[in-house]
C-alpha cells in the first residue's frame, strides 16, 4: 500500500465555513473542570495504550539496531545491551562498497528533487487554473481531478511497457519522470491560490510592469507557501515510499531507492543471515530523514492542512 | 465522474473573482467572445504539468487498454511471436482466472474489516484530541503520526520480525499464535497497514475538527450536552466529508495492496504470488504475459474507480436524506 499513499484532501471538507484557525486555548477554561475525572482517566488510558502500540515497534527497531548479531537473539529485545550502533552503521555503509549509501542518495534524488520539481509545476498549473480564464480550463481541472482517483500502481505496468518500447527501463529517468506528476498538488494549489492570492495584488504587479511569470515567482508564490509545502511533503513521502514503480522498472542495484534495496536484502536473509543486521539498521536509518523533514516543516504543513480545510 | 468533480471544483472565490474582475474600472467591456489575455503566461504555467500528465498518466492508461486488446500469435510452437488484435479475449481470460478473483475477494474482505477499524480509531483519536479530556495533545499527535514516516516496505519488514516466533520481543505470544499462518497472515498485514495509516487519517480528521467554529457547540454545551453527545450530534456530522474522503482513499489503497504482502512473502509461505490483485499483475507481467497483465491492470483500475465512486455517491445520498 505504500505505493499509493492516499492523497490527503482535507481541503474539500468544510468549504464555506469561516476560518477559525487553531483554537486559542483560552477559549475553554470553564469547561475543563466540568468533565468527570473518570472520563479524563479513560481518555488518557486509551491514548497511553495506543502510544505504546505506535511507538514500541520503532523502539524495538532502535534497540535492535544497537546490538551485534549474538546479542540480537540473546538479550532482551526491548532493552539495550552493549551499544554497538556505530559499529553497525560502519559495517552497513562499508558493506558491498557502500551500496546502502548509494540507495539513500538515490532515494534523496528521486524524492527530494522529484517532489521539488513536481511541486513547482503543480503550483504553476494550479495557479493558472485559479487566476486566469481561458477555454478548456474546467476540462483540464476535471481531467486532473480524475487523475487523483487513478491509483499510481495501476500506471506502473503500462509505464514499464512504454519505457521498454523506447529502451529507457532500468534508468534513473524511468522512476524519476513519472514521479513528477502530482494531480493532487494541482488541486490543492488551485484551491489555495484562488482563496489566498488577491487579484488586486496581481493587478498591482501588472501596473508596476512586472510580467505574469515574474509576478507568480516573486509575489504569488509567497502567499501560496503553506499549500506548496504541504504538496511538497506529501509528494516527497509518496515518492520515498513508492515501491511498485522501482520494483518493475529497475534491475541495476545501483539505481535502487532505499526501500527496494532493503526489500531485496530482506528476501535474501535466509541464504545470507548476516544481512538481517544490515536490514534492521538500514531500516532505522531510512526512517530518520522523513522524521526530520516532518518535524522541520511541521509548522508549515499543519497550517497547510488546516488552512486548506477552511478555504 | 462529473458529479464528483463538480463537488470538488466548487472553488469558492472563483465566481467572486470573476465578478470582481468584470467590475474593475478600466477593464474594457467584454466582447461577445472574450479574448484570452496573457496567453503566453498561461501556456508557460500549464504546459509543464500538462505535458507530463499527458505522458505519464493519460498515455499509459491508453496504452494499457491497447495492450490488453492484443494477443500473442506464434507460428508453430517455436516460431516468432507476433502481437495481433484479439478483441476482448484477454478479458475473457481475466474473468476465467480463479486466482485473480480469489485475490480480489481477499482484498475486499481485508478492506471490509481493516478500513472501518482504521478510520474508527482515527476518528476516536481525533475527537479525543479535540476534546478537553486529553492533556499533552502535541505529544500524542506526534507519537501517533510517527508510523506514517515509515515506508510500507520498512514497516512490513519490522512487523515481520515482531510476528516471528523466535525473534519477536513478544515471543510468549507469537510462539502460541502463528500470525504468519495461512489463516492469520492477511490480518497480520492488516495490522501493519493500520499501524502506518491511523495517525495520518487522524490528522486529516483532526484538522477538519479544528475548522468547526466553537460557537456551533457552545450552544449545545450550555444546554448541558456532554462531550460524547457533542461529538456524536455536532462534530461527526460536520466532519463527515473528511471521513468520506479518508474512506475513499483507504478503499483505493486497499485494492492496490502490494508492498506489504510482497515483503511478507519472505516471512510466510502462506502469501502466494497471487495473494493480492496487484501481486497477480506483477507476477503475470514477469512471466512475461504483458497482454494479460495489462488486462488485469485495466480491470483493477476500473473496479477501484467504480467502488470509490459508488461509495462517494452512496454516502452523499445518505447525507442528503438525513
Amino acid at each position: 500500500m505504500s505505493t499509493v499513499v492516499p492523497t490527503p484532501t482535507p481541503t474539500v471538507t468544510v468549504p464555506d465555513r469561516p476560518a477559525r484557525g487553531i483554537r486559542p486555548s483560552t477559549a475553554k477554561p470553564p469547561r475543563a473542570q466540568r468533565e468527570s475525572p473518570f472520563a479524563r482517566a479513560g481518555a488518557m488510558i486509551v491514548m497511553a495504550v495506543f502510544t505504546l502500540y505506535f511507538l514500541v515497534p520503532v523502539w524495538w527497531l532502535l534497540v535492535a539496531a544497537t546490538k551485534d548479531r549474538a546479542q540480537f537473539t540473546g538479550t532482551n529485545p526491548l532493552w539495550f545491551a552493549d551499544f554497538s550502533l556505530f559499529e553497525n552503521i560502519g559495517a552497513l555503509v562499508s558493506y558491498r562498497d557502500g551500496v546502502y549509501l548509494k540507495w539513500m542518495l538515490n532515494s534523496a534524488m528521486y524524492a527530494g528533487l522529484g517532489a521539488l520539481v513536481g511541486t513547482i509545476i503543480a503550483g504553476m498549473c494550479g495557479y493558472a487554473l485559479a487566476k486566469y480564464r481561458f477555454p478548456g480550463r474546467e476540462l483540464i481541472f476535471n481531467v486532473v481531478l480524475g487523475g487523483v482517483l487513478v491509483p499510481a500502481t495501476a500506471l506502473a505496468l503500462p509505464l514499464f511497457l512504454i519505457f521498454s518500447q523506447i529502451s529507457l527501463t532500468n534508468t534513473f529517468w524511468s522512476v524519476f519522470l513519472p514521479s513528477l506528476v502530482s494531480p493532487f498538488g494541482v488541486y490543492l494549489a488551485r484551491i489555495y491560490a484562488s482563496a489566498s492570492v488577491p487579484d488586486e495584488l496581481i493587478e498591482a504587479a501588472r501596473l508596476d510592469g512586472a510580467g505574469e511569470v515574474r509576478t507568480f515567482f516573486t509575489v504569488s508564490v509567497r502567499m501560496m507557501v503553506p499549500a506548496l509545502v504541504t504538496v511538497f511533503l506529501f509528494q516527497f513521502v509518496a515518492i520515498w515510499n513508492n515501491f511498485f514503480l522501482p520494483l518493475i522498472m529497475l534491475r541495476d542495484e545501483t539505481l535502487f531507492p532505499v526501500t527496494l534495496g532493503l526489500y531485496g536484502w530482506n528476501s535474501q536473509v535466509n541464504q545470507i543471515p548476516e544481512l538481517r543486521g544490515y536490514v534492521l539498521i538500514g531500516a532505522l536509518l531510512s526512517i530518520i530523514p522523513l522524521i526530520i523533514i516532518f518535524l522541520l516543516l511541521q509548522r508549515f504543513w499543519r497550517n497547510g492542512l488546516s488552512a486548506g480545510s477552511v478555504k | 465522474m462529473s458529479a464528483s468533480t463538480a463537488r470538488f471544483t466548487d472553488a469558492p472565490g472563483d465566481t467572486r473573482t470573476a465578478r470582481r474582475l468584470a467590475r474593475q474600472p478600466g477593464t474594457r467591456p467584454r466582447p461577445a467572445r472574450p479574448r484570452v489575455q496573457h496567453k503566453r503566461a498561461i501556456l508557460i504555467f500549464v504546459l509543464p504539468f500538462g505535458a507530463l500528465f499527458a505522458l505519464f498518466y493519460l498515455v499509459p492508461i491508453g496504452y494499457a487498454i491497447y495492450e490488453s486488446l492484443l494477443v500473442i500469435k506464434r507460428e508453430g510452437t517455436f516460431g516468432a511471436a507476433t502481437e495481433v488484435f484479439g478483441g476482448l479475449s484477454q478479458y475473457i481470460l481475466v474473468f476465467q482466472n480463479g486466482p485473480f478473483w480469489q485475490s480480489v475477494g481477499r482484498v475486499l474482505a481485508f478492506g471490509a474489516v481493516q478500513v472501518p477499524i482504521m478510520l474508527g480509531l482515527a476518528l476516536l483519536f481525533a475527537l479525543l484530541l479535540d476534546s478537553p479530556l486529553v492533556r499533552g495533545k502535541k505529544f500524542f499527535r506526534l507519537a501517533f503520526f510517527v508510523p506514517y514516516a515509515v515506508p510500507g516496505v520498512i514497516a512490513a519488514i519490522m512487523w515481520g520480525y515482531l510476528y516471528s516466533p523466535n525473534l519477536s520481543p513478544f515471543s510468549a505470544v507469537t510462539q502460541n499464535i502463528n500470525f504468519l499462518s495461512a489463516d492469520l497472515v492477511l490480518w497480520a498485514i492488516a495490522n501493519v497497514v493500520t499501524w502506518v495509516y491511523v495517525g495520518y487519517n487522524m490528522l486529516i480528521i483532526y484538522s477538519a475538527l479544528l475548522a468547526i467554529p466553537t460557537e456551533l457547540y457552545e450552544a449545545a454545551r450550555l444546554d448541558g450536552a456532554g462531550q460524547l453527545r457533542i461529538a456524536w450530534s455536532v462534530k461527526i456530522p460536520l466532519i463527515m466529508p473528511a471521513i468520506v474522503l479518508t474512506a475513499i482513499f483507504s478503499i483505493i489503497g486497499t485494492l492496490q495492496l502490494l508492498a506489504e504482502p510482497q515483503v511478507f512473502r519472505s516471512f510466510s509461505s502462506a502469501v502466494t504470488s497471487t495473494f493480492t490483485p496487484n501481486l497477480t499483475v506483477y507476477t503475470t507481467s514477469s512471466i512475461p504475459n504483458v497482454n494479460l497483465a495489462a488486462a488485469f491492470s485495466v480491470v483493477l483500475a476500473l473496479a477501484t474507480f467504480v467502488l470509490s465512486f459508488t461509495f462517494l455517491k452512496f454516502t452523499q445520498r445518505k447525507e442528503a436524506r438525513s
Side-chain angles (χ1 to χ4, degrees), chain B residues 313-322:
Chain B
K313 288 281 106 188
F314 178 72
T315 46
Q316 271 176 349
R317 196 166 315 140
K318 243 177 115 179
E319 262 171 63
R321 224 184 286 144
S322 61

Side-chain angles (χ1 to χ4, degrees), chain B residues 229-258:
Chain B
R229 182 70 213 232
I230 291 175
W232 185 254
S233 322
V234 183
K235 290 182 179 175
I236 292 182
L238 283 173
I239 55 168
M240 214 49 201
I243 300 173
V244 167
L245 268 146
T246 54
I248 288 175
F249 286 114
S250 305
I251 292 172
I252 296 179
T254 303
L255 283 170
Q256 305 304 317
L257 213 57
L258 175 88

